[in-house]
Every structure is written in structure tokens, then in C-alpha cells.
Amino acid sequence: MTSIPKDPFPEKSRKEDHYLRILRQMESLGKLGHWEFDFINQTIHWSEGVFAILEMDPIEMPISLELGYNSIHPDDREKAKQHMEDVIEKGIPYNLECRLVTKKGAVRTIHSQAELVCDDSGNPIQIVGIFQDITDRTESYIQLKQQELRLSSILQSEPECVKVVSPDGILIEMNPAGLSMIEADTPEDAIGKTVEPLIEPSDLRFYQSIHENALKGIKSSARFRIIGMKGTHRWMESTAVPLTNQKGEITSVLSLTRDISEKVINEEKLIRIKRNQEALINGTSDLIWSIDTNFCLVTANQSFLNVLSFLLQYPAKEGDSVLVKTAGEEFYYKWKEYYERGLSGESFTSYENFISPITLEEEHREVSFNPIRNVDEKITGLACFSKDISSLMRKSKELILN
């Protein structure tokens, strides 16, 4: 019976196996592989990590320099060959990033570094290298750059002003719309300079409040006026939010600002129109009011509010019912019929003759009812106008008697 020779160095073999297992684990976890090329014998060696990255079985095929180059993506193959020549001829460090094509057709991006080994005469005899699969990192970087490009495109085309300001008020970044609003001919005219000189001095506290709120982590908005670099005055509405770094620390303030000059002008016009209308309708003894489909007061001049308050026996206000039973059932149902006719779509005029409960004098009134319709021609309410024609009626009677 033939005996199996014993390993003369069992402890050394166990250590080598141990280190090989650690190496395999490191390559697997780090998506790494190491390789060697012998220039003298024209032989190449790949570790298990290389085969794993290339999705190859080391048993199925012999390793060769041709197989190595053929594993490089066709578009990167010439670059890889030229880099190897430059390493050998020019002595530059081997540091290459390129794409590989696996046996299953997948494209992997790798980063490879290697060291050239030379003999005593300086002739290259071997190159030993390592490469890592950085596909995930590269794809993440590409996606990030694409996102940055999309975001940049959005900001460049955004019609509102988008700006980033440092905590001490220095303009860091501003899109073209913003530069146009502040009348900057070039970004250099504004970037790196303080924002506050552009704010109308009397409105500076409003701008400062949203900037300070953002530095405290609070989103807020404000209106203020600016004076452009060429002297144009504009009303702005700005919302400011904090920008943070990876640690969550607030590093700057992001603001979205829109030009609301036209909006403010229109608002001021509406206020003037409303005040003029109020002065006109409240300066007459005629009664002017409108109701909704539930017979509730929508708006009225002071003369009508005085009458309705007298009938209700408390101060009248918007939302109160205009159908009052305190004046008697006959009065109630007569006016309910008027309102229903108007809300059904009929425009008409009624002539009323009564003793005023306020003045206790005879009054004659011409009352007009006109439906109010929305854009869809649906009736949403009724506009009412009561004109005092008592004087006219008295003069008519005088003429008849004479």
C-alpha cells in the first residue's frame, strides 16, 4: 500500500489558504479583481474576481492577451492598447478607466491601476494590476449629472427669479430671469455682491425677515419693492427656504421671486374703483342691494343697511336674510314673490307706495329687480335698486290739482 507523502510545511500551507480565502472575500465584496501579464513568456493571469466581473467560468476557456483585449468594449479597446504602450514606452503610471463587455453581453465600467516591473536594465518584464467594477458608481454619477442638467435647464428657462444667497446676504447664483428683473447685463454684475442695495429702503425689513426666517429653517413669504440696476422700480413677491448640506446644516437661502408689479397696480385700481363705488352708492338715499338664491344679503349700500337694520331690530350685515316677518305677513310674502320672480330669470320694475316705518312719511319708490348670471348663464343672485320718487309724485299731484 502506497502511503501519501506528508506536507513538509503544513503550517505554511494553512496560512496561504487562509490569505487566499480573505483575498477572495475582499474581491467579492469590493467587486475587485487582480491580473498579471508576463512580457517575457507572454502569459496572463486573472484572479477569480476578474472572471466574476466578466461573468466567465475559468474552467471553460484558456486565458490569453487576445481574450483580455477582446473583453474590452470596442469603443474603448484602442484607448486601452495605447495606454499600455504609453506605460511601457513613456513610463507613465498605469491608471485606466474603460468599459468591459461580459460573456453575457453586459457592459461594465472598471477602474484599473497597475505597476510595471522591470529588470536591472530597466526592461519591462511584468505588469501587475488590479481593477474594480465601478459600474454602479458611474451610472449613479451619470444619473446625477443628468438630473443636474435637467435642473439647470429648468432653472435657466424658469420665468421667475430663482436665486441662492449666502447667510451674510451675498448673491451666489441667479437664473437669467432674475438677472433680467434686477437689470443686470451680465451675471458678473450681480454674483458675489450683496442683495440688500437692490431693495427699496422702506421695504428692506420685509426682505430681511424672510431671509432670517430661512436661516432659522422657516419657510416664509413677503412682498417688497426693488430698484433695478438701471433704476426701474418693481414690486416683488418672494418665498425663501433654507438650503442644507449633507449634515443638515443650513448653508444658504433659496428664493423664488416673481414680479407682481402689474398685479399690484391692478389691485390698487380695484381698491380705488371699490372706494369710488362705495362713495357713490353710499352718497344716495336710493336703496341698492343684491341677494343670493337663498334670499340672503350679498352686498348693499348704507341706505339699505339702515332700513334692513330697522326691520331686523339689530345691525344688518352680509349673509342676513332680506325676508323680514317683523313688518307683517303681507309685506313678507309680497317681497318673497318679487325675489322669486327675479331669481326665476325675470327682469321687472315694481312701484311701491307706503308709510316709511323710519320717517313715518309717505314714500313712493320705483324698485327694479335684475337677475345676476355667472359665465355659464346660471342665475346666482338678484340685483335690486329702489329709487325714491316721492318728490316726483308730489309734484305730479300738485300739477293735477292746479
Side-chain angles (χ1 to χ4, degrees):
M1 182 175 180
T2 304
S3 62
I4 300 174
K6 294 183 178 180
D7 186 344
F9 305 103
E11 185 66 27
K12 181 179 179 181
S13 297
R14 283 196 297 272
K15 284 185 178 181
E16 288 178 351
D17 290 342
H18 175 69
Y19 289 135
L20 284 174
R21 284 195 297 272
I22 292 176
L23 179 61
R24 283 195 295 268
Q25 291 172 1
M26 289 175 60
E27 288 192 347
S28 177
L29 287 172
K31 295 183 178 181
L32 296 166
H34 68 271
W35 55 275
E36 300 174 15
F37 180 66
D38 187 326
F39 292 104
I40 297 174
N41 299 312
Q42 291 291 297
T43 57
I44 190 168
H45 166 76
W46 288 350
S47 70
E48 291 183 12
V50 175
F51 285 103
I53 292 170
L54 290 172
E55 298 181 308
M56 293 180 180
D57 187 339
I59 301 176
E60 292 181 358
M61 58 187 67
I63 308 170
S64 65
L65 185 61
E66 182 181 6
L67 176 62
Y69 276 121
N70 287 339
S71 297
I72 300 173
H73 192 285
D75 294 342
D76 294 349
R77 199 170 293 158
E78 188 59 38
K79 178 179 74 172
K81 289 182 178 180
Q82 185 61 51
H83 187 65
M84 178 68 83
E85 291 177 6
D86 291 341
V87 169
I88 296 171
E89 296 174 4
K90 300 178 182 180
I92 66 171
Y94 189 99
N95 193 334
L96 176 67
E97 186 173 305
C98 67
R99 290 165 296 173
L100 303 180
V101 180
T102 72
K103 186 179 179 182
K104 297 180 180 179
V107 177
R108 304 286 186 198
T109 301
I110 60 101
H111 176 221
S112 182
Q113 289 182 280
E115 182 177 342
L116 190 65
V117 181
C118 299
D119 59 17
D120 295 339
S121 301
N123 298 314
I125 57 175
Q126 188 182 32
I127 187 167
V128 180
I130 187 171
F131 67 67
Q132 182 178 26
D133 183 351
I134 59 169
T135 305
D136 293 342
R137 186 177 73 188
T138 302
E139 289 178 351
S140 297
Y141 176 77
I142 292 172
Q143 290 176 0
L144 180 61
K145 295 302 291 183
Q146 289 174 341
Q147 290 175 356
E148 289 178 352
L149 181 60
R150 285 196 296 270
L151 180 59
S152 176
S153 299
I154 292 171
L155 292 179
Q156 293 300 309
S157 59
E158 169 61 48
E160 313 295 356
C161 168
V162 181
K163 66 179 183 294
V164 178
V165 180
S166 69
D168 56 353
I170 304 298
L171 184 64
I172 299 173
E173 189 174 353
M174 180 177 275
N175 67 341
L179 294 171
S180 177
M181 287 180 190
I182 65 172
E183 299 178 313
D185 292 327
T186 65
E188 290 73 23
D189 292 338
I191 304 300
K193 299 178 181 178
T194 56
V195 175
E196 290 190 355
L198 295 168
I199 313 298
E200 168 70 38
S202 58
D203 292 349
L204 186 57
R205 66 186 186 279
F206 302 121
Y207 169 77
Q208 290 173 336
S209 68
I210 62 172
H211 184 78
E212 291 168 2
N213 282 341
L215 293 177
K216 296 175 184 176
I218 304 169
K219 174 184 175 181
S220 59
S221 302
R223 284 185 176 188
F224 50 83
R225 289 164 292 176
I226 67 167
I227 304 172
M229 293 182 175
K230 297 179 181 178
T232 302
H233 291 245
R234 286 185 171 89
W235 269 101
M236 313 300 286
E237 185 174 63
S238 185
T239 300
V241 296
L243 283 181
T244 58
N245 59 19
Q246 292 180 341
K247 297 179 181 179
E249 300 167 335
I250 297 174
T251 58
S252 54
V253 175
L254 172 67
S255 300
L256 176 65
T257 306
R258 58 177 56 86
D259 185 343
I260 60 168
S261 302
E262 186 175 349
K263 178 182 178 181
V264 171
I265 291 171
N266 290 333
E267 287 175 349
E268 291 174 347
K269 284 181 179 179
L270 288 174
I271 291 172
R272 287 197 300 271
I273 291 171
K274 184 178 180 181
R275 287 176 178 173
N276 289 337
Q277 289 175 339
E278 289 174 350
L280 288 171
I281 67 175
N282 288 323
T284 177
S285 61
D286 295 332
L287 311 181
I288 303 171
W289 74 103
S290 64
I291 64 171
D292 61 21
T293 54
N294 295 316
F295 312 114
C296 292
L297 186 65
V298 175
T299 186
N301 68 345
Q302 192 59 49
S303 296
F304 181 83
L305 289 174
N306 291 339
V307 173
L308 186 59
S309 296
F310 180 85
L311 296 172
L312 291 172
Q313 299 177 359
Y314 59 80
K317 62 184 183 303
E318 293 180 4
D320 287 339
S321 175
V322 294
L323 292 175
V324 184
K325 289 187 177 181
T326 56
E329 287 192 2
E330 182 181 351
F331 178 88
Y332 176 88
Y333 286 110
K334 179 175 69 171
W335 282 89
K336 185 173 185 293
E337 181 185 352
Y338 288 160
Y339 290 141
E340 287 175 343
R341 285 174 62 186
L343 291 172
S344 69
E346 181 182 354
S347 293
F348 64 99
T349 300
S350 171
Y351 293 91
E352 302 297 318
N353 180 20
F354 55 91
I355 301 299
S356 170
I358 300 176
T359 65
L360 301 178
E361 295 180 358
E362 184 181 24
E363 285 191 12
H364 295 268
R365 286 192 170 270
E366 180 183 86
V367 188
S368 301
F369 301 87
N370 293 288
I372 300 172
R373 289 179 167 86
N374 61 15
V375 292
D376 298 323
E377 291 300 314
K378 181 181 178 181
I379 294 175
T380 58
L382 193 64
C384 310
F385 181 78
S386 175
K387 182 180 180 181
D388 187 352
I389 58 172
S390 301
S391 176
L392 179 62
M393 293 301 293
R394 283 195 296 269
K395 289 181 180 180
S396 297
K397 286 181 179 181
E398 290 174 0
L399 289 173
I400 293 172
L401 292 174
N402 293 332

